Amino acid sequence: MPKQSAGVLLYKLTDGLLHLFLVHPGGPFFRKKDDGAWSIPKGEFDDGEEPLAAAQREFEEEVGKPVSGNFIKLQPIKQKSGKVVHAWAVEGDIDHEQITSNQFEMEWPPKSGKVTSFPEIDRAGWFIIDVARQKIIPGQIALIDELETLV
């Protein structure tokens, strides 16, 4: 069975404009990448876990704040890797400069034997819809398109 993730697409309306909350992955591989590298806060879950609960858990782990509200189920998407992403949109607000992400460890530099810790998310931001389409991983653009038709 393909891997599956669950995530939250947080949005807000400001002066009639739709703004989307996206996160940038931490670690050395994404340090210099911007357009096409951002994502909704999301993470993998097992078959035994309820997907919306997983999405809320992953949001809190990656951003450092819980998320609640009237969740809107979006159509699942399939990324290039084959991973299926289940997502929910919810209206809310968060200070993107006050995120506190969990950490992961990896050998860095490669083949050095040295294990280094990195934040899973190194920054977050609010983007108007056209900019969000440029920033987000191409496979997740369908989530933005669907939300735009619903709001």
Side-chain angles (χ1 to χ4, degrees):
M1 178 161 193
K3 290 184 177 184
Q4 51 188 2
S5 288
V8 173
L9 178 53
L10 189 66
Y11 70 93
K12 65 182 178 179
L13 291 166
T14 306
D15 298 325
L17 292 176
L18 182 61
H19 290 77
L20 307 176
F21 179 79
L22 301 176
V23 295
H24 185 270
F29 297 118
F30 294 93
R31 184 170 288 137
K32 295 180 181 179
K33 295 180 182 178
D34 191 51
D35 286 353
W38 293 67
S39 175
I40 65 170
K42 66 173 184 50
E44 291 185 7
F45 69 98
D46 296 321
D47 286 334
E49 188 175 9
E50 200 276 314
L52 178 54
Q56 291 173 288
R57 172 182 50 77
E58 287 293 332
F59 188 97
E60 188 166 1
E61 286 178 2
E62 293 187 356
V63 176
K65 305 278 187 215
V67 62
S68 61
N70 295 319
F71 290 93
I72 303 165
K73 174 75 171 131
L74 302 174
Q75 291 297 314
I77 58 165
K78 192 173 193 176
Q79 296 191 151
K80 275 186 182 180
S81 65
K83 182 186 288 184
V84 175
V85 178
H86 303 270
W88 286 262
V90 66
E91 188 171 6
D93 198 3
I94 191 170
D95 184 347
H96 69 280
E97 294 180 357
Q98 298 297 317
I99 66 163
T100 53
S101 180
N102 56 341
Q103 302 277 312
F104 72 95
E105 292 183 338
M106 66 180 286
E107 183 181 10
W108 192 259
K111 300 181 183 176
S112 67
K114 181 180 177 188
V115 176
T116 305
S117 182
F118 298 97
E120 193 168 343
I121 299 303
D122 62 11
R123 63 189 185 270
W126 285 101
F127 302 99
I128 60 171
I129 200 157
D130 291 338
V131 176
R133 280 192 180 97
Q134 292 175 329
K135 298 287 183 193
I136 202 164
I137 296 167
Q140 293 181 17
I141 290 174
L143 299 173
I144 294 173
D145 293 343
E146 184 178 357
L147 176 63
E148 187 177 32
T149 67
L150 298 172
V151 176

